[in-house]
Amino acid sequence: MSASRTKKERQLAAANGLSEKEKKALKEAKAKKRNHVIYAILGAVAVCCVVALLIWDNGVIQKHTTALTVGSERYGVTDVEYFYANSYSNYSQYLSLYGLDANSDLTEEEVYEGYTWDQLFKDEAIASLTNVSILDQEAKAAGYTLSEDGQANVQTAVDTLSTYATLYGTTVDSFLKSNYGKYMTVKDYERIYANVVLANEYADVKADSFEITDADLQAYYAEHTADLDTIDFTAYQLTIARTETDEEGTVVDLDEAAIAENTTQAEAQANEILAALQAGDMVEAAELAAIYGASDLSNTSYYTSYSFADWLNDAANGAGASAVLPNLNSSDEPVSYTAILVNARELDEYHGADVRV
């Protein structure tokens, strides 16, 4: 028999020899002792809960919770909220143009179906923070540190906080929390801003380190002429009628003979317009296009969706190049003809454009 069991039996035997009054007193004493233990445990739990709530309210837990990981670096809610605020600020002056009320719930307002403004700002915040992080990590690996000008820039930004706070009649802490989330502090703001400045500096340093020769630029231009050139062109497209509407208003297909006749006519009209373009008579070309019901596709910014895009993107078709181009369907049958003339073709070389751009 175990010692604990022997002890319990002795206690039971002793209890059996007690009076009813003594048994009741013993029972109450045990209950009181048990309650003290329970209350002590509950008290300890309550203290822990209060401490946890205080820590949560101060943002300690949230600030140290990883919201985004980029490479070997982890970032908290405060970092993401900083870039979220910047993303929102970039759109703020245009929000009304998109029909968005700045005071509305961004998680409810949709940019398009199934995608809210809140998600857009979050996605842009993550993309911006990721870019900054990658550059900062590369800078660190290369031993690059913030320049004196960069440090001065950061200090100016921090010092300016008090100016803005005074302007809006509030404190620096309140100003930061109002604009960058309730967990933002001056220390966090300075750290994040310094990371942004470092990323921008290192991006410039990295770009300047590349040695690009004129031959390199010309080779790149030759390979990407269609993407880089600005093309001034005039184009009129004549669609070949393949259907007609009868007297009852029903659309019916034309027979092959009628379609062939319309095809010949459209090609002839396109050539007539082209002749006017080649002669430099833009007025006559426009008048003919109007008479023949041609669509004016001149200098359309989305020309890449049209059948003449490949011809227009060909660098061999410089200023003065012209043609009547058929648009073929899947059966290699023409559905339209386009009279097109390249007025000018050149590479924009405005001030400020360099290889980094």
Side-chain angles (χ1 to χ4, degrees):
M1 184 179 296
S2 66
S4 60
R5 182 176 177 183
T6 303
K7 180 179 179 182
K8 193 172 287 187
E9 289 184 352
R10 285 201 305 270
Q11 290 175 340
L12 182 60
N16 290 334
L18 297 176
S19 66
E20 290 299 322
K21 184 176 181 179
E22 289 173 329
K23 290 180 180 179
K24 182 178 181 181
L26 179 61
K27 183 177 182 181
E28 290 178 352
K30 289 181 178 179
K32 186 175 182 180
K33 182 178 180 180
R34 183 174 65 253
N35 289 340
H36 279 313
V37 173
I38 294 173
Y39 293 148
I41 294 174
L42 291 176
V45 171
V47 170
C48 290
C49 289
V50 170
V51 172
L53 287 173
L54 290 174
I55 293 175
W56 179 270
D57 189 57
N58 288 331
V60 174
I61 294 176
Q62 295 93 321
K63 289 173 67 174
H64 289 82
T65 299
T66 300
L68 178 68
T69 300
V70 182
S72 61
E73 295 295 325
R74 296 187 299 175
Y75 298 91
V77 174
T78 304
D79 299 88
V80 176
E81 286 187 336
Y82 173 89
F83 288 94
Y84 182 101
N86 281 348
S87 176
Y88 177 84
S89 178
N90 291 337
Y91 278 91
S92 60
Q93 57 183 320
Y94 305 110
L95 291 180
S96 60
L97 299 178
Y98 293 102
L100 177 66
D101 180 2
N103 296 317
S104 62
D105 185 350
L106 297 179
T107 62
E108 297 294 334
E109 294 290 330
E110 294 185 333
V111 182
Y112 54 82
E113 187 175 357
Y115 189 70
T116 65
W117 281 95
D118 176 69
Q119 190 58 55
L120 181 146
F121 296 141
K122 284 180 180 176
D123 289 344
E124 290 203 351
I126 290 173
S128 297
L129 177 52
T130 299
N131 289 337
V132 168
S133 179
I134 290 172
L135 286 166
D136 284 347
Q137 291 181 60
E138 288 191 9
K140 182 178 179 180
Y144 182 85
T145 56
L146 199 59
S147 67
E148 291 185 2
D149 288 342
Q151 294 175 26
N153 185 354
V154 174
Q155 189 58 53
T156 298
V158 173
D159 294 341
T160 305
L161 290 175
S162 58
T163 302
Y164 280 114
T166 301
L167 181 65
Y168 289 100
T170 185
T171 64
V172 171
D173 285 340
S174 295
F175 175 80
L176 285 174
K177 288 175 171 56
S178 174
N179 286 275
Y180 298 103
K182 64 180 182 179
Y183 307 119
M184 180 65 74
T185 65
V186 174
K187 184 177 179 180
D188 286 323
Y189 177 86
E190 182 176 4
R191 171 182 59 79
I192 298 171
Y193 194 87
N195 287 340
V196 173
V197 175
L198 176 63
N200 289 333
E201 278 193 2
Y202 188 68
D204 288 339
V205 170
K206 193 69 176 178
D208 290 338
S209 69
F210 298 129
E211 294 184 3
I212 307 298
T213 65
D214 289 341
D216 292 328
L217 293 175
Q218 288 302 319
Y220 184 86
Y221 173 62
E223 186 177 349
H224 300 84
T225 301
D227 300 322
L228 300 174
D229 272 352
T230 295
I231 307 172
D232 178 1
F233 67 94
T234 302
Y236 294 105
Q237 187 176 81
L238 290 127
T239 301
I240 300 168
R242 291 178 170 273
T243 62
E244 67 177 2
T245 304
D246 62 20
E247 294 178 354
E248 297 178 355
T250 304
V251 177
V252 295
D253 293 331
L254 295 174
D255 58 32
E256 292 184 4
I259 293 175
E261 183 180 347
N262 290 340
T263 300
T264 300
Q265 183 183 55
E267 185 176 12
Q269 291 171 345
N271 277 296
E272 193 176 347
I273 294 173
L274 180 64
L277 292 175
Q278 292 172 332
D281 195 337
M282 297 299 178
V283 174
E284 182 183 1
E287 289 176 347
L288 289 171
I291 293 172
Y292 298 145
S295 299
D296 186 355
L297 303 180
S298 304
N299 289 330
T300 179
S301 59
Y302 47 89
Y303 74 86
T304 53
S305 62
Y306 287 101
S307 59
F308 55 83
D310 289 341
W311 182 90
L312 197 58
N313 285 333
D314 188 342
N317 294 319
S322 61
V324 168
L325 303 172
N327 176 21
L328 305 178
N329 60 19
S330 58
S331 300
D332 288 333
E333 300 170 333
V335 294
S336 67
Y337 284 97
T338 302
I340 186 168
L341 169 71
V342 177
N343 302 309
R345 183 189 200 101
E346 59 186 0
L347 173 67
D348 283 330
E349 295 185 280
Y350 51 86
H351 292 295
D354 56 23
V355 70
R356 283 177 293 177
V357 174

